[in-house]
Amino acid sequence: MRSEDSDFVLLQEIDSITQGVRAKIDEQPRVGLVLGSGLGAVADAIESPIRIPTEELNGWPRSTVEGHAGKLVFGKLEGQSVCVVQGRVHFYEGHSMSRLAVPVRVLQRLGADVLIVTNAAGGVNQNFEPGDVMLITDHINFPGMAGHSPLLGPNLDQLGPRFPDMSQAYDRELQEIAREVAAALGIELREGVYFCLAGPTFETPAELRFLQANGADAVGMSTAPEVTVARHGGMRVLGFSGISNITSLNGDRAASHEEVLETGSTIAPKLVRLIKGVIARL
Ligand code: HPA
């Protein structure tokens, strides 16, 4: 139920959206995947896919950005039941943090206990190169720190605690599996801290230097809210950033969404192999 003067999504609405999904599909996914800009191709690797356009789901946040087709794709990947959220939504599109976490809540209610998140990100770490894949070891949720947590509002006690622990937001065991899979596949895996900003502007050079001084290896406009909600609901999380561009700390190079989508197409095949390798070992 949407309340009159806020957009805190309550359990009743989450369960009604989940019912809408169940009416179309029998699968109970074990793993949920949320795909970032230009990385939607990961869904093409799914066997016997069943697609639900998310516009058919009342209350599902609408994606308005190029590169984010709004679909839920159910099927098998390496023998595991998965559900891919193709077309994530962002805070800058005008959704409340609570609403943009709806896809993760629905995955939880469908029974998924592992969440794999991917995003396109700018490399703040100047040793990175465009096309790299970074294993997210931790994040800084800047909008959350500034009062825009997706957990703001009434706590959904049935799903998780009022004050959730975030000491290991990214599951250590899953990280270790990802490292081993990358090594076995000969994929060089970078590692680091993902800094979430609200966007939609790319950063000024001064902002980038601020991020670098505060421990960021990559910067983007998503992921941290979804991971926060996933942890609140007790899911184990694995995250990868596709490094689409290296940010310019002195303003010599401009950033563009076209570049993000372009590099995404070279990163996607690597991510597919990595994610398949990890899922095969769950
Ligand atoms: N900054 C913020 N978000 C991004 C970037 C960037 O440079 N590249 C891809 N997403």
Side-chain angles (χ1 to χ4, degrees), residues 21 56 140 182 215 240-241 274:
V21 175
E56 292 177 7
I140 297 172
F240 297 105
S241 288
L274 264 173

Short mmCIF file of all heavy atoms in Angstrom, two decimals, residues 21 56 140 182 215 240-241 274:
data_model
loop_
_atom_site.label_atom_id
_atom_site.label_comp_id
_atom_site.label_asym_id
_atom_site.label_seq_id
_atom_site.Cartn_x
_atom_site.Cartn_y
_atom_site.Cartn_z
N VAL A 21 4.01 -11.94 -9.30
CA VAL A 21 5.06 -12.72 -9.97
C VAL A 21 4.69 -14.21 -9.91
O VAL A 21 4.77 -14.92 -10.92
CB VAL A 21 6.43 -12.49 -9.30
CG1 VAL A 21 7.50 -13.40 -9.92
CG2 VAL A 21 6.84 -11.03 -9.42
N GLU A 56 4.26 -5.07 -16.12
CA GLU A 56 3.05 -5.83 -15.78
C GLU A 56 2.86 -5.95 -14.27
O GLU A 56 1.86 -6.48 -13.80
CB GLU A 56 3.12 -7.24 -16.39
CG GLU A 56 3.05 -7.24 -17.91
CD GLU A 56 3.19 -8.64 -18.51
OE1 GLU A 56 3.21 -9.64 -17.76
OE2 GLU A 56 3.28 -8.71 -19.75
N ILE A 140 30.69 2.23 0.40
CA ILE A 140 30.34 3.42 1.18
C ILE A 140 29.03 3.92 0.60
O ILE A 140 28.97 4.29 -0.58
CB ILE A 140 31.45 4.49 1.10
CG1 ILE A 140 32.75 3.95 1.73
CG2 ILE A 140 31.00 5.79 1.80
CD1 ILE A 140 33.97 4.83 1.55
N ALA A 182 37.79 -16.86 -10.69
CA ALA A 182 38.51 -15.95 -11.59
C ALA A 182 39.89 -16.51 -11.92
O ALA A 182 40.31 -16.51 -13.08
CB ALA A 182 38.62 -14.56 -10.95
N GLY A 215 38.89 6.42 0.44
CA GLY A 215 38.94 4.96 0.33
C GLY A 215 38.17 4.35 -0.82
O GLY A 215 37.99 3.13 -0.86
N PHE A 240 29.99 -7.30 -8.12
CA PHE A 240 31.06 -7.00 -9.09
C PHE A 240 30.79 -5.64 -9.73
O PHE A 240 29.66 -5.36 -10.14
CB PHE A 240 31.08 -8.02 -10.23
CG PHE A 240 31.39 -9.43 -9.82
CD1 PHE A 240 30.39 -10.39 -9.77
CD2 PHE A 240 32.69 -9.81 -9.49
CE1 PHE A 240 30.66 -11.70 -9.41
CE2 PHE A 240 32.97 -11.12 -9.12
CZ PHE A 240 31.96 -12.07 -9.08
N SER A 241 31.85 -4.84 -9.86
CA SER A 241 31.76 -3.62 -10.66
C SER A 241 32.49 -3.84 -11.97
O SER A 241 33.64 -4.30 -11.96
CB SER A 241 32.46 -2.44 -9.93
OG SER A 241 31.70 -2.02 -8.83
N LEU A 274 32.34 -15.46 -14.99
CA LEU A 274 32.58 -15.41 -13.54
C LEU A 274 31.34 -15.85 -12.75
O LEU A 274 31.41 -16.69 -11.85
CB LEU A 274 32.90 -13.98 -13.13
CG LEU A 274 34.35 -13.56 -13.01
CD1 LEU A 274 34.43 -12.06 -12.78
CD2 LEU A 274 35.03 -14.31 -11.87
#
